[in-house]
């Protein structure tokens, strides 16, 4: 037995040794001086040994051509041609940011060697917009191989990545890491302005639907190279050219092909929706602009008014509580109850409330995951990590998206049920018109606010539905049309973009977000306060579950209806 | 649903949970809603004027109130549910004890 164990141990030990990264032949001589703490520029041996270069036997002098042991003592390097010298002189100016650190090219001559092994890639790069600064004089130095791939002493093999519609492929981790390298230049406002690039490119990407999905951890959402890389057979990422170049995949004539990498059937109209601009600016059409402004005012003014209403009501309720005499037990009317909502109404409301809560808690973490930029008060902060953590409850960003659709189906079921219910009541000639708003509601609202403020002595007498309940009801009608209508567009974006103008899709995007803000804040703050959280009701009004309210509450909240019911019973 | 106590305990626990895990994100989400609304009303890029700041603070307050309300209401409902189940469980053994063998 011992012999068998010993054999296994020896076998495992030899395997472990075989897996240990080895330095290429001759590199150990260089590393005598170039290890950390040595005389020359340091290359960590372990990191280098694990690099794809070392693993393929690419030694120091394969790139640092002409270097011998004497170079430290003043030995000369082989002469370069004029073209090579020009290339090296330009490379010397290159610098980029890695993490927080600014990095410069330490050994520009070594970059001449890249083409020896990576001919296809360097040829594609040589014709790309990224190497323009190496071909001609430019205001700023552009990227080198290391700007995107990191140090040649640590570089790893890239994972296979070629997104195709219908064959969903997660974006590999190395491409996500590379996006940060893209941003080191394209997200640097100062550099971008100097280079004549769009300084907002990174911010608008992060605030776009793609950027938000990436920020909340969606593995399939696209990063920079997903859209901007040329087709693999034409050089891929190395062959990125300016978007005004007719060969560019993001040129206005070709960009639908970039979209079609993930969205089968993408059209020009669909492709025009993503343009590194805010949604209202994307299409250049005035309608999204107008909708953005109108909805911003509508949401703000509605929320301001109802926040004021809640505040006034809360102060009134507290005053009433202080005034109330202690020592009284619950009255008979507080115990007796009447049916206010029948089973159909309650089922409709159950579907609606579960759908809306589900939509809110799966949708807002995505909406709130944009960048805050330099905005006052919250600028520089980031809600995306919270969103990502919260979405894990639903199985991550993909799971949350699925649950969001489940929420949409629930509110659609509720709406359809309600329409059937109304039709049924109308056929039976029992359709109540008590929910229709009238001039009395406006007067009631004014008088109720004045009453709560202590200006009026008497509270207005409400019928079956008071103005707040009517607002809730009709706001849901409005909200369903807005949210479901626009939500369907995002459910099937390529389908709708195939026939609808792009400004309509953009307008839908704006409406969905703005209406979500209004609906969620109104429901969770105003509706929840009015029906559950006001001090006289807290912690809960159970009418949503059993359909009943106390007689006392009915007398107080709906005196006209109570009197009518009492008269009917006489 | 006769006793308010389980709902109150549920709401209280949920609000404590809200303060522990959801206060900061709700401030950020609400603040972001304020930033978006201010962008529509005052235009972008946002200047740090009094009204813009006020709208962002308003958004933060609504964000906190909204998420806090959601926690409270769901906590109250959950508390009532647990209360109903425990009272049901407590009633069963009592009923069994009372019934003759």
């Amino acid at each position: 037995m011992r012999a068998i164990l010993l054999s296994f141990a020896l076998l495992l030990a030899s395997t472990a040794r075989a897996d240990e990264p080895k330095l290429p032949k001759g590199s150990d001589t260089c590393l005598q001086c170039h290890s950390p703490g040595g005389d020359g520029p340091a290359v960590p041996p372990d990191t280098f040994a694990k690099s794809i270069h070392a693993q393929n036997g690419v030694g120091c002098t394969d790139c640092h051509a002409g270097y011998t042991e004497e170079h430290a003592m003043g030995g000369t390097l082989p002469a370069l041609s004029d073209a090579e010298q020009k290339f090296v002189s330009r490379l010397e100016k290159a610098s980029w940011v890695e993490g927080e650190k600014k990095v410069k090219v330490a050994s520009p001559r070594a970059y001449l060697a890249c083409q020896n092994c990576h001919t296809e890639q360097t040829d594609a790069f040589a014709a790309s917009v990224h190497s323009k600064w190496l071909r001609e004089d430019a205001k700023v130095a552009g990227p080198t191989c290391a700007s995107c791939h990191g140090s040649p002493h640590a570089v790893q093999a890239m994972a296979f990545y070629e997104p195709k519609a219908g064959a969903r492929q997660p974006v590999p981790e190395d491409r996500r890491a590379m996006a940060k390298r893209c941003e080191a230049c394209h997200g640097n406002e100062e550099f971008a302005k100097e280079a004549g690039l769009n300084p907002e490119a990174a911010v608008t990407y992060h605030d776009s639907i793609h950027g938000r999905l990436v920020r909340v951890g969606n593995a399939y959402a696209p990063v920079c190279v997903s859209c901007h890389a040329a087709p693999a057979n034409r050089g891929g990422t190395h062959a990125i050219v300016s978007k005004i170049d007719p060969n560019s995949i993001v040129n206005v004539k070709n960009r639908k092909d970039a979209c079609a990498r993930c969205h089968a059937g993408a059209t020009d109209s669909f492709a025009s929706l993503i343009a590194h601009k805010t949604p209202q600016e994307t299409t250049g059409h005035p309608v999204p602009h107008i909708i953005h402004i109108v909805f911003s005012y509508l949401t703000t003014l509605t929320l301001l008014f109802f926040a004021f209403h809640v505040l006034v009501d809360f102060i009134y309720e507290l005053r009433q509580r202080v005034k109330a005499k202690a020592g009284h037990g619950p009255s008979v009317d507080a115990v007796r109850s009447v049916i206010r909502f029948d089973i159909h109404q309650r089922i409709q409301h159950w579907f609606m409330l579960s759908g809306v809560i589900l939509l809110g808690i799966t949708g807002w973490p995505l909406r709130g995951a944009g960048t805050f930029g330099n905005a006052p008060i919250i600028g520089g902060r980031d809600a995306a990590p919270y969103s990502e953590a919260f979405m894990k409850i639903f199985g991550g960003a993909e799971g949350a998206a699925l649950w969001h659709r489940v929420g949409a189906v629930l509110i659609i079921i509720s709406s359809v049920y309600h329409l059937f219910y109304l039709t049924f009541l109308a056929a039976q000639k029992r359709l109540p018109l008590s929910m229709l708003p009238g001039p009395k509601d406006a007067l009631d609202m004014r008088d109720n606010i004045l009453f709560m403020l202590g200006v009026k002595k008497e509270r207005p007498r409400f019928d079956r539905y008071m103005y707040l309940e009517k607002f809730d009801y009709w706001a849901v009608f409005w909200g369903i049309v807005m949210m479901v209508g626009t939500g369907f567009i995002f459910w099937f974006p390529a389908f709708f973009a195939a026939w609808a103008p792009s400004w309509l899709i953009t307008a839908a995007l704006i409406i969905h977000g703005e209406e979500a803000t209004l609906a969620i804040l109104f429901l969770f703050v105003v509706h929840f306060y009015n029906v559950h959280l006001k001090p006289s009701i807290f912690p809960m009004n159970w009418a949503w579950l059993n359909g009943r309210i106390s007689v006392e509450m009915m007398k107080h909240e709906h005196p006209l209806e109570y009197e009518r019911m009492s008269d009917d019973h006489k | 649903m006769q006793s308010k106590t389980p709902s109150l305990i549920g709401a209280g626990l949920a609000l404590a949970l809200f303060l522990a895990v959801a206060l900061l994100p709700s401030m950020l989400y609400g603040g972001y809603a304020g930033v978006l609304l201010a962008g529509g009303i005052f235009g972008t890029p946002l200047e740090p004027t009094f009204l813009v700041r006020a709208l962002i603070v308003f958004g933060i307050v609504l964000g906190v109130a909204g998420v806090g309300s959601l926690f409270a209401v769901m906590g109250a409902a959950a508390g009532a549910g647990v209360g109903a189940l425990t009272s049901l469980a407590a009633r069963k053994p009592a009923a069994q004890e009372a019934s003759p063998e």
Side-chain angles (χ1 to χ4, degrees), chain A residues 8 122 134 143 153 166 221 356 381 386 393 397 470 476 478 540 558:
Chain A
F8 264 112
T122 50
L134 288 167
H153 303 121
V356 167
R381 293 180 184 273
Y386 297 107
I393 296 172
K470 290 184 184 181
V476 170
W478 160 264
M540 186 151 287
H558 310 283

Side-chain angles (χ1 to χ4, degrees), chain A residues 324-397:
Chain A
K325 287 175 187 167
H328 286 284
S331 67
V332 176
D333 283 349
V335 179
R336 282 196 307 153
S337 64
V338 288
I339 289 279
R340 180 159 168 78
F341 301 116
D342 67 26
I343 185 67
H344 295 287
Q345 291 169 319
R346 275 178 276 154
I347 293 173
Q348 289 159 31
H349 187 249
W350 295 337
F351 273 113
M352 184 60 69
L353 78 89
S354 14
V356 167
I357 290 175
L358 201 49
L359 286 167
I361 61 178
T362 52
W364 244 101
L366 180 62
R367 179 160 170 77
T371 56
F372 302 158
N374 296 321
I377 303 170
I378 58 167
R381 293 180 184 273
D382 192 358
Y386 297 107
S387 299
E388 187 176 359
F390 180 70
M391 282 180 164
K392 283 185 179 151
I393 296 172
F394 300 96

Side-chain angles (χ1 to χ4, degrees), chain A residues 205-218:
Chain A
Y205 164 72
H206 284 303
D207 286 340
S208 73
I209 186 65
H210 290 155
R212 281 164 201 256
L213 285 169
V214 168
R215 288 162 64 74
V216 298
N218 186 313

Side-chain angles (χ1 to χ4, degrees), chain B residues 28-46:
Chain B
L28 292 177
Y29 292 142
Y32 190 52
V35 167
L36 294 173
L37 293 176
I41 292 171
F42 302 108
T44 50
L46 283 178

